[in-house]
Amino acid sequence: MKSLIRRPRNESPKRLGKRLATLALPVVAAMALGFPASAAPNTTTQVLVAEAGDTSSASGAAVSPQALTSYISNENDIGIGVSQNNTPPLYEAILPGHRRTDGSPLGWDHAYSFYIGPGYCADAWYWQNNGWRFDPRNTVKGSKEAQIVAIPGEAVARWAVRNVRVC
């Protein structure tokens, strides 16, 4: 079978493979999300909720060396859109599954929001008083950008996106 992709005579097969992988990454990331990267119809913003509760917390005492103020953890097998700042478009980067915005590959010291595409839902959990908490109001139904908030009594706002599913 003849290949449809031709490489220049002076390009090694290894370099061609790297070039093709680089071109394919945005397509794979968008496919993993289950919606096109430019999908914006009827998008609204949801501000998540973190109850005040007991604000005494041991985790409020230390801040990481990079002055970490917030992060989003993607606890799913597929990537989700995330933003570090309140700027269009709906998200600035794709956060792969089982990664956090403060780790590889993003390395952000703060996060602003995450995006759930049309036809999908997800649950946003937050860390408070040495445990993960869930408020049913934090179920995000796409197409929606979910803005994270500071958590009372915590120096670092820790948010986890769980249970991305078709809804």
Side-chain angles (χ1 to χ4, degrees), residues 126-137:
Y126 61 95
W127 178 266
Q128 187 178 46
N129 302 325
N130 297 316
W132 287 104
R133 312 273 185 240
F134 176 70
D135 186 310
R137 296 174 289 182

Side-chain angles (χ1 to χ4, degrees), residues 59-76:
S59 64
V63 176
S64 74
Q66 64 175 350
L68 180 67
T69 58
S70 61
Y71 70 73
I72 297 169
S73 175
N74 180 5
E75 299 183 1
N76 300 280

Side-chain angles (χ1 to χ4, degrees), residues 45-130:
T45 300
Q46 174 176 338
V47 178
L48 300 177
V49 177
E51 294 295 327
D54 175 18
T55 58
S56 61
S57 172
S59 64
V63 176
S64 74
Q66 64 175 350
L68 180 67
T69 58
S70 61
Y71 70 73
I72 297 169
S73 175
N74 180 5
E75 299 183 1
N76 300 280
D77 292 332
I78 64 170
I80 60 171
V82 290
S83 291
Q84 182 178 21
N85 301 300
N86 183 16
T87 55
L90 300 173
Y91 55 89
E92 297 174 51
I94 303 294
L95 181 63
H98 307 287
R99 299 288 178 103
R100 292 181 358 186
T101 54
D102 63 326
S104 175
L106 301 177
W108 295 347
D109 63 357
H110 69 278
Y112 177 78
S113 65
F114 64 90
Y115 174 76
I116 299 300
Y120 288 85
C121 292
D123 298 325
W125 291 63
Y126 61 95
W127 178 266
Q128 187 178 46
N129 302 325
N130 297 316

